[in-house]
Amino acid sequence: MGTIRVTNIQVYAFHGCLTEEEKIGSDYRVDVAVKANLQPSAHSDELKDTVDYVHINRIVKEEMAIRSKLLEHVAKRMLDRIFAEVPIAMEATVEVSKINPPIGGNVEQVTIEMTLSR
């Protein structure tokens, strides 16, 4: 078993419950970790035998482009796609962080983390 991590994917998106968030948008950071058996790719040296991090990045960008009120909803969609499109994924963790959230205080970011296993 091994882990492929794609960290600090930076995206501008329009998630949130407030009307202003839908219009103005915000900066987000997404981190993804996918656990899988990496021994076949370690031996074969073939992309088809591993977790393609370009594919993971594309999933993140596509799902972040679909507006949601809750970050949990976005993360769940990402996890569902990872398991549907990456057959060797055994476990995945997605962290979605909203940078400078509009919560009436000086807060650097809020983060939700979700993990799903086969």
Side-chain angles (χ1 to χ4, degrees):
M1 200 65 124
T3 304
I4 302 276
R5 291 186 198 337
V6 185
T7 59
N8 199 18
I9 303 168
Q10 298 176 16
V11 182
Y12 196 85
F14 298 87
H15 306 299
C17 295
L18 303 175
T19 305
E20 298 83 33
E21 293 174 301
E22 180 178 3
K23 293 177 182 173
I24 299 169
S26 187
D27 290 310
Y28 292 84
R29 171 188 172 148
V30 180
D31 299 296
V32 180
V34 180
K35 291 186 179 181
N37 180 0
L38 301 180
Q39 290 304 310
S41 60
H43 292 290
S44 73
D45 197 27
E46 294 293 335
L47 183 60
K48 68 177 179 57
D49 294 330
T50 193
V51 177
D52 182 354
Y53 48 81
V54 172
H55 187 178
I56 299 299
N57 186 60
R58 183 172 52 249
I59 289 171
V60 167
K61 298 234 174 166
E62 289 173 358
E63 293 305 324
M64 287 297 288
I66 302 168
R67 178 169 159 57
S68 291
K69 289 184 270 183
L70 300 177
L71 299 180
E72 295 90 323
H73 190 254
V74 180
K76 177 69 166 89
R77 289 197 320 261
M78 289 178 199
L79 288 167
D80 288 345
R81 281 198 55 196
I82 289 168
F83 281 98
E85 298 175 23
V86 182
I88 68 167
M90 297 308 293
E91 180 178 290
T93 300
V94 172
E95 295 178 41
V96 181
S97 301
K98 182 182 284 191
I99 311 301
N100 296 318
I103 60 174
N106 187 10
V107 176
E108 181 180 337
Q109 68 183 28
V110 294
T111 302
I112 66 98
E113 177 181 318
M114 293 180 71
T115 300
L116 187 63
S117 299
R118 272 198 214 276

